Amino acid sequence: MYSIDHTDLGTPPSTSSTMVNIELDGRPFAVPDGTSVMRAAALAGISIPKLCATDSLKSFGSCRLCLVEIDGRKGYPASCTTLVADGMKVRTESPKLTQLRKGVVELYVSEHPLECDGCPADKHCELQDMAQLHGVTGSPYLAGDACPPRVTAESRAVAFEPDHSNPYFNFNPELCIVCSRCVRACDETQGTLALTIQGRGLASQVAASAAEPFVESECVSCGACVEACPTAALSEKSLLTAPAPVQAVTTTCAYCGVGCSLKAEVADGKVARMVPNRAGHANQGHACVKGRFAYGYATHADRITTPMIRATLSDPWREVGWDEAIGHAAREFKRIQAKYGKGAVGGITSSRCTNEETFLVQKLIRAAFGNNNVDTCARVCHSPTGYGLKQTLGESAGTQAFTSVMKSDVVILMGANPTEGHPVFASQLKRALRAGTKLIVIDPRKIALVDSPHVVAAHHLQLRPGTNVAMINALAHVVVTEGLVREDFVAARCEMPSFDKWRAFVADKRNSPEAMEAVTGVAADVVRAAARLYASVPNGAIYYGLGVTEHSQGSTTVLGIANLAMATGNVGREGVGVNPLRGQNNVQGSCDMGSFPHELPGYRHVSDPVVRATFEKAWGVTLDNEAGLRIPNMFEAALDGSFRGMYIQGEDLAQSDPNTQHVVAALTALECLVVQDIFMCETAKFAHVLLPGSSFLEKDGTFTNAERRISRVRKVMEPLPGLADWEVTMRLANALGYPMHYDHPSQIMDEIASLMPTFTGVSYEKLDRLGSIQWPCNDEAPEGTPTMHIDAFVRGKGKFFVTEYVATRERSTSRFPLLLTTGRVLSQYNVGAQTRRTSNNVWHSEDRVEIHPHDAETRGIADGDWIGITSRAGETVLRATVTDKVQPGVIYTTFHFPESGANVVTTDNSDWATNCPEYKVTAVEVVKVDKPLDWQIRFRQNRETRLPSRHTTPAAV
Amino acid sequence: MHADTLVRMVNDISEFFAPANPEAEAAVEVAGHITRSWDPRMRRQIVEIWQAGHADFSPVGRAAVEILAAAAARKAG
Ligand code: SF4
Ligand code: SF4
Ligand code: SF4
Ligand code: FES
């Protein structure tokens, strides 16, 4: 069932710009060539009856309800499959048409009785609508002799049993009209192809994989089929308990950097269900299991809703009012600054909070604390992207819109696993791949896109962890030495001295695929073939993720990627570009908003007197002209005593940052730690003041996704603690003696627009009107900028950098012979604080470590064994999965559960330019052990007493 | 802050700039990078660490810190 406020146009839009003139029921209309008669009619306000068509899917023509009459054509063509033609004359209503359509509806109703009372789709069921429209209340086939032989349970291909196995939706075959919209949604929208129609004729039925329960099938629970189903055959469990939704509020997913536009359907201030917005620019009407279903954490019993304070970490928490908590925090920060100096305090902005909230936190730090000690969790994920793209292209952001991939001939996917980490982009990419785009995967692990039943990569460069720069240089070597450089592009668009220097560098034999084979472990001929493929097509695009940035040479790899794209002329139009896949929903936004200690909002250095003067004038303060501390520096400074107080909004540093022991020691050394979070996170255990946070459902604001797309977040319920995060920051600033006053986040956005040249044209009014805006949005681009660097690079001429490969200090040795690398799964998000508090645990209830059969065998490890993982930094125990997805010598794990302690073993090595930690390579040894460590067992027990069990209770239908 | 950590950070930065430039130019780049991205207390400390004769600086790293020391002296004087 699509969103309650969606008006369906029957078939997808045509992309043609040629207009065709037709006549509909005697009136003239002009529509784009390639439009279906059904869509043309809908655009003209005429709604033709339909059941198997919906505007997110290609037309199928199976229900025969949408019949029309067309002059000069025999019979009654289906309007969903018939395209308009110039001069066509169409009749959508006639007695004959009504009679035919009524017959069709009666047949459907004979298989699907209209027992609508209590059905979750009641009043939004398309079959019910069609029955009402045609005055059908029952079926003549169901009465007396007219009744055809009913299909017996035995004659069905599949048991006619309802399937409640998925925690979020039910499948009830009794209500299925076999329109196959679900099957097509799984194919076309999601790209998983989990569903089929089994059996024939009246005995046919929808089945997941080989007629398995949904939860055990290939289904990834994206919900596309549920959204597409015209009846309640596939419908959300939440609709059975929540009051029927009365309003749909358009908002933005708070999970990953795809930033899907969602409709929160609400009643009585509660979310009844979440449905992807078909008009959403980032997601094109799709979503994944997290955004679509896993929003229950927002009302979880673990939410903190009252401010708390304590004098020391050993004291119990004391619940207090907002004024007392904020007053206490402000007094402590002032005391610390008076005693240890202005630079002794700082703060962290959150990539899960809105742009407006992030802007306020950095403003508080710069204006009220009077220093630049502000950083954000992008430090630990994409800070090298900011650095590398700014240096080479001139702007710290990706160059394209997601839909650009449809115009790519070749995609290089490096250190990213979108089917798990960026699922809705993965669906888009799969659409491109099915349409013929070729894929090159550069990843130590065999990710799903390398080889799955429906997508096969042209090349998989399965390199050793930590050798990205060697690989990029080898690819560049082939481009430069085999005459694949787009010389005209480079000459016109780039700084020639930098190019010449780079060309000479990569052309050197030491960078050839043959020389680098020993380093990367990838055969030279495969590297050569991949480089030729990327460089020889009209449009080559590069997409990359944390597997690029979280390395000691993370920034070098980003520079190398930009070098490669510029040398091959692959920047500045659709289908090409350099595209970081951002982890958290608002990483792009938090960086844009000035969360780095050396940059004011809009990536402008604090030492720039002109920029500083603008902010000083607007904020009425003198700003510090020196860079402040980064997160790891704050920890170091806390340990040496020069840093004593910290304000952390919505980040769990104790769990997300590397080398946990070090982080814990630093946090414990602080005299005042103020944590603002929705849960009692790991970091909050070291806090003196706890300020309850609000979820994305409880406030207004904006998020900016990986395409630089700014989208509205809209409040659908009141903040549980009484105040939204931006209001809390505002109060803290006031208590510190720095006045801040905003009545609504739109006023914060107005201030942002007045201070950031790339945001001048952004306002809530324009966002409401356009739906979303990709920055830069200003006088030159009043409606935003989908593709960047079109005629020139933002920095003027593109600049090349020499990128020498330097091996990481984390090398395998006889003591630590394996390399541990890390990643994510679809159902869980980041440190799991949100998703672990939802039924998503059904798919991933523990982090496991993948080990190659060879490495497992030599150590006597079998699938499911507990194995101890030891690095130079620490030790943890996880269960083993023996698989050849990883190569020999490499092990892999996720880090969604605190008891996994992946960061207990990661070291404090970091990127040379940005100190982004080297999460992706840690030298380790593994041994078989009996059980997890004591602290892990404690964690697990704590969690299990609080979380929903793995087994979901079947909901009654 | 740990002297070893700061020295390691300087050396890591130097490893990027050293291969692409003659030593003197690389040192200028490294010093520039540090000036733009390090908090002043860390810059003060690294100069003190150099003055105390820490042995683990790479050649370019050492030259870069000399530049920082000279800049600090100019500012102070
Ligand atoms: S489950 Fe729904 S969408 Fe799928 S075939 Fe049945 S009625 Fe159509
Ligand atoms: S939920 Fe998604 S993956 Fe699962 S069957 Fe439906 S469309 Fe396919
Ligand atoms: S988690 Fe990402 S892909 Fe999934 S719905 Fe949210 S924004 Fe979209
Ligand atoms: S809607 Fe056209 S055939 Fe079903």
Side-chain angles (χ1 to χ4, degrees):
Chain A
M1 167 180 142
Y2 43 65
S3 175
I4 54 171
D5 74 348
H6 173 69
T7 308
D8 199 81
L9 301 177
T11 62
S14 152
T15 48
S16 169
S17 51
T18 316
M19 296 301 273
V20 165
N21 292 305
I22 58 164
E23 203 180 284
L24 284 163
D25 294 336
R27 287 184 295 155
F29 288 102
V31 290
D33 196 15
T35 304
S36 72
V37 170
M38 174 179 279
R39 187 179 174 95
L43 290 171
I46 303 165
S47 132
I48 299 175
K50 64 184 180 62
L51 275 174
C52 71
T54 183
D55 58 17
S56 60
L57 301 171
K58 283 185 222 137
S59 58
F60 191 59
S62 74
C63 73
R64 308 292 300 163
L65 192 58
C66 65
L67 309 182
V68 291
E69 293 169 354
I70 299 176
D71 276 8
R73 299 223 185 157
K74 276 210 213 103
Y76 304 93
S79 62
C80 63
T81 49
T82 307
L83 300 186
V84 293
D86 216 25
M88 185 183 257
K89 290 194 170 70
V90 181
R91 261 178 317 286
T92 68
E93 296 294 342
S94 76
K96 182 66 192 169
L97 288 173
T98 306
Q99 184 206 346
L100 288 170
R101 290 172 186 163
K102 188 169 178 185
V104 171
V105 176
E106 281 170 349
L107 202 60
Y108 275 111
V109 169
S110 73
E111 281 296 302
H112 177 130
L114 294 171
E115 293 155 1
C116 305
D117 260 2
C119 172
D122 188 17
K123 302 200 173 58
H124 298 290
C125 169
E126 294 174 55
L127 181 63
Q128 189 186 43
D129 291 347
M130 291 303 115
Q132 274 165 9
L133 186 69
H134 296 92
V136 177
T137 49
S139 170
Y141 302 112
L142 293 178
D145 296 343
C147 188
R150 287 280 289 158
V151 184
T152 60
E154 294 77 49
S155 68
R156 293 269 171 177
V158 186
F160 220 64
E161 291 292 315
D163 178 347
H164 304 301
S165 66
N166 184 290
Y168 299 116
F169 61 83
N170 288 324
F171 174 50
N172 188 348
E174 290 283 355
L175 305 179
C176 174
I177 57 170
V178 203
C179 65
S180 113
R181 270 160 60 167
C182 55
V183 177
R184 289 177 284 140
C186 194
D187 296 3
E188 295 173 27
T189 310
Q190 163 58 22
T192 292
L193 292 81
L195 301 178
T196 48
I197 302 280
Q198 302 205 340
R200 280 160 184 263
L202 285 174
S204 55
Q205 194 192 317
V206 173
S209 298
E212 286 164 294
F214 269 84
V215 83
E216 281 158 37
S217 72
E218 295 155 87
C219 166
V220 294
S221 196
C222 70
C225 55
V226 181
E227 198 254 4
C229 182
T231 72
L234 281 162
S235 72
E236 292 90 344
K237 287 184 176 174
S238 63
L239 289 177
L240 296 171
T241 46
V246 291
Q247 196 197 354
V249 183
T250 305
T251 189
T252 305
C253 178
Y255 281 116
C256 85
V258 178
C260 294
S261 176
L262 302 172
K263 295 206 173 179
E265 294 192 352
V266 288
D268 303 341
K270 289 200 186 71
V271 179
R273 61 173 196 153
M274 199 70 92
V275 195
N277 176 11
R278 288 206 185 175
H281 298 131
N283 53 325
Q284 322 283 308
H286 193 29
C288 81
V289 63
K290 293 190 287 287
R292 177 94 157 69
F293 294 118
Y295 52 84
Y297 71 87
T299 47
H300 194 278
D302 287 354
R303 278 287 301 269
I304 303 165
T305 53
T306 316
M308 292 187 264
I309 58 175
R310 60 181 171 186
T312 69
L313 298 188
S314 50
D315 290 342
W317 282 110
R318 191 159 62 83
E319 292 196 347
V320 295
W322 279 108
D323 287 343
E324 187 175 349
I326 285 172
H328 179 79
R331 276 193 303 281
E332 276 295 282
F333 285 134
K334 283 201 264 190
R335 178 187 66 78
I336 292 171
Q337 286 194 299
K339 188 163 168 197
Y340 303 103
K342 200 164 72 170
V345 298
I348 306 295
T349 71
S350 173
S351 295
R352 295 177 212 178
C353 285
T354 63
N355 286 322
E356 292 75 3
E357 288 164 342
T358 304
F359 181 84
L360 281 203
V361 172
Q362 65 86 33
K363 178 174 173 180
L364 178 147
I365 290 161
R366 298 187 202 278
F369 285 172
N371 63 44
N372 289 320
N373 293 332
V374 53
D375 207 355
T376 181
C377 71
R379 176 66 52 212
V380 303
C381 64
H382 266 289
S383 50
T385 290
Y387 178 83
L389 299 186
K390 176 107 186 167
Q391 295 292 313
T392 48
L393 313 178
E395 194 60 270
S396 301
T399 60
Q400 311 295 121
F402 287 137
T403 46
S404 149
V405 76
M406 298 311 289
K407 301 210 168 138
S408 303
D409 302 295
V410 168
V411 166
I412 293 184
L413 186 63
M414 182 166 190
N417 190 2
T419 53
E420 305 286 341
H422 302 87
V424 165
F425 172 69
S427 294
Q428 178 95 55
L429 176 60
K430 284 195 256 183
R431 281 197 281 283
L433 297 177
R434 285 204 301 271
T437 301
K438 297 247 180 342
L439 178 67
I440 298 167
V441 174
I442 307 181
D443 202 290
R445 195 166 155 268
K446 190 168 162 191
I447 60 168
L449 286 169
V450 168
D451 187 8
S452 61
H454 321 288
V455 238
V456 179
H459 300 287
H460 178 202
L461 313 182
Q462 194 170 13
L463 75 184
R464 288 200 187 102
T467 64
N468 284 333
V469 172
M471 178 57 74
I472 285 289
N473 288 347
L475 291 166
H477 176 91
V478 179
V479 169
V480 159
T481 56
E482 296 192 8
L484 297 168
V485 170
R486 298 277 161 91
E487 304 283 354
D488 51 340
F489 180 94
V490 173
R493 302 277 309 260
C494 303
E495 277 183 12
M496 284 316 282
S498 73
F499 173 73
D500 292 337
K501 198 164 156 184
W502 173 78
R503 178 197 288 249
F505 159 75
V506 289
D508 192 286
K509 270 224 156 37
R510 72 181 193 282
N511 286 317
S512 69
E514 290 70 20
M516 284 302 183
E517 193 172 314
V519 174
T520 63
V522 181
D525 56 339
V526 182
V527 176
R528 284 194 180 271
R532 287 172 197 142
L533 180 61
Y534 168 72
S536 59
V537 294
N539 287 339
I542 306 177
Y543 290 80
Y544 70 88
L546 302 182
V548 159
T549 53
E550 290 176 346
H551 285 281
S552 58
Q553 278 202 294
S555 290
T556 316
T557 312
V558 175
L559 295 169
I561 286 173
N563 288 338
L564 192 59
M566 289 190 291
T568 52
N570 279 317
V571 191
R573 59 182 184 278
E574 279 195 287
V576 299
V578 178
N579 304 279
L581 293 171
R582 302 280 185 159
Q584 303 207 52
N585 55 320
N586 203 33
V587 173
Q588 181 69 53
S590 69
C591 298
D592 300 343
M593 292 300 123
S595 294
F596 288 134
H598 63 294
E599 284 170 341
L600 288 160
Y603 305 101
R604 289 160 303 157
H605 202 273
V606 290
S607 64
D608 183 332
V610 179
V611 175
R612 230 175 33 248
T614 340
F615 283 86
E616 288 177 338
K617 184 153 172 268
W619 293 351
V621 287
T622 307
L623 295 172
D624 190 350
N625 64 352
E626 293 270 15
L629 296 168
R630 297 167 172 176
I631 293 174
N633 311 146
M634 291 183 196
F635 293 151
E636 289 272 333
L639 289 169
D640 80 7
S642 67
F643 189 73
R644 306 264 179 166
M646 210 169 170
Y647 170 38
I648 302 181
Q649 182 175 75
E651 288 300 336
D652 197 359
L653 300 184
Q655 209 193 325
S656 62
D657 281 51
N659 197 346
T660 309
Q661 299 89 318
H662 179 73
V663 175
V664 165
L667 292 175
T668 314
L670 295 172
E671 290 183 14
C672 178
L673 174 60
V674 177
V675 168
Q676 187 171 347
D677 207 302
I678 61 174
F679 296 118
M680 182 66 81
C681 59
E682 292 306 303
T683 309
K685 293 180 182 160
F686 307 94
H688 304 88
V689 179
L690 198 54
L691 303 173
S694 43
S695 77
F696 77 115
L697 296 170
E698 296 154 53
K699 55 202 183 189
D700 281 298
T702 55
F703 289 151
T704 306
N705 77 352
E707 324 157 273
R708 295 168 278 109
R709 186 183 300 286
I710 311 160
S711 303
R712 274 298 310 276
V713 176
R714 290 186 179 85
K715 180 161 141 180
V716 299
M717 56 195 227
E718 288 306 315
L720 296 192
L723 295 178
D725 293 306
W726 60 274
E727 295 172 294
V728 177
T729 305
M730 200 168 84
R731 284 204 192 190
L732 181 59
N734 288 323
L736 284 163
Y738 178 76
M740 271 193 198
H741 183 79
Y742 306 93
D743 296 314
H744 190 270
S746 64
Q747 297 167 343
I748 307 174
M749 180 52 85
D750 293 342
E751 179 173 326
I752 295 167
S754 73
L755 290 168
M756 275 171 60
T758 46
F759 269 61
T760 333
V762 180
S763 68
Y764 277 28
E765 178 278 315
K766 195 184 275 183
L767 284 164
D768 287 343
R769 186 156 44 83
L770 300 179
S772 71
I773 301 171
Q774 284 177 276
W775 67 259
C777 171
N778 43 31
D779 287 348
E780 288 102 78
E783 303 215 329
T785 312
T787 309
M788 288 196 80
H789 315 292
I790 289 182
D791 297 315
F793 288 103
V794 170
R795 75 181 296 283
K797 297 259 179 184
K799 185 170 178 185
F800 284 80
F801 282 80
V802 168
T803 54
E804 185 78 46
Y805 166 67
V806 180
T808 162
R809 270 187 291 274
E810 275 304 287
R811 279 168 237 201
S812 46
T813 59
S814 54
R815 200 164 140 232
F816 300 112
L818 302 173
L819 292 179
L820 165 71
T821 184
T822 57
R824 289 165 191 225
V825 297
L826 168 67
S827 53
Q828 298 286 359
Y829 173 71
N830 205 277
V831 295
Q834 292 131 300
T835 43
R836 277 188 282 115
R837 291 181 169 91
T838 69
S839 300
N840 278 26
N841 290 334
V842 166
W843 292 280
H844 184 88
S845 57
E846 65 171 342
D847 294 319
R848 286 190 166 215
V849 56
E850 292 182 0
I851 181 167
H852 189 271
H854 172 78
D855 293 326
E857 199 190 317
T858 53
R859 290 167 177 79
I861 293 166
D863 202 73
D865 283 350
W866 290 110
I867 57 176
I869 306 165
T870 314
S871 75
R872 290 177 188 89
E875 183 190 3
T876 188
V877 172
L878 291 171
R879 230 195 278 265
T881 297
V882 178
T883 169
D884 62 5
K885 279 189 199 162
V886 288
Q887 46 187 312
V890 176
I891 66 170
Y892 165 87
T893 188
T894 51
F895 60 96
H896 301 298
F897 287 85
E899 72 265 26
S900 301
N903 289 332
V904 175
V905 288
T906 49
T907 63
D908 50 13
N909 285 344
S910 68
D911 173 50
W912 64 269
T914 66
N915 293 130
C916 179
E918 189 174 40
Y919 282 135
K920 297 292 178 180
V921 200
T922 311
V924 294
E925 175 57 304
V926 303
V927 288
K928 189 175 161 179
V929 296
D930 294 338
K931 59 176 177 57
L933 301 167
D934 288 346
W935 64 266
Q936 293 181 297
I937 295 173
R938 278 197 305 278
F939 253 121
R940 191 172 290 250
Q941 283 163 348
N942 266 344
R943 184 161 58 78
E944 274 164 10
T945 54
R946 283 185 290 132
L947 290 181
S949 82
R950 188 180 151 73
H951 305 287
T952 51
T953 28
V957 179
Chain B
M1 258 177 234
H2 257 296
D4 293 349
T5 310
L6 288 177
V7 172
R8 201 172 75 186
M9 284 166 70
V10 172
N11 289 348
D12 283 351
I13 300 167
S14 307
E15 268 185 324
F16 176 77
F17 290 105
N21 304 285
E23 190 172 308
E25 280 171 40
V28 172
E29 294 278 0
V30 175
H33 183 89
I34 292 174
T35 308
R36 276 191 306 278
S37 57
W38 284 25
D39 171 272
R41 85 190 76 175
M42 292 162 63
R43 298 208 307 270
R44 265 195 312 276
Q45 279 176 351
I46 197 71
V47 170
E48 285 161 17
I49 292 164
W50 165 73
Q51 283 162 345
H54 200 289
D56 292 348
F57 282 108
S58 66
V60 170
R62 185 182 318 267
V65 178
E66 280 167 26
I67 296 173
L68 294 176
R74 264 201 311 280
K75 215 170 162 189

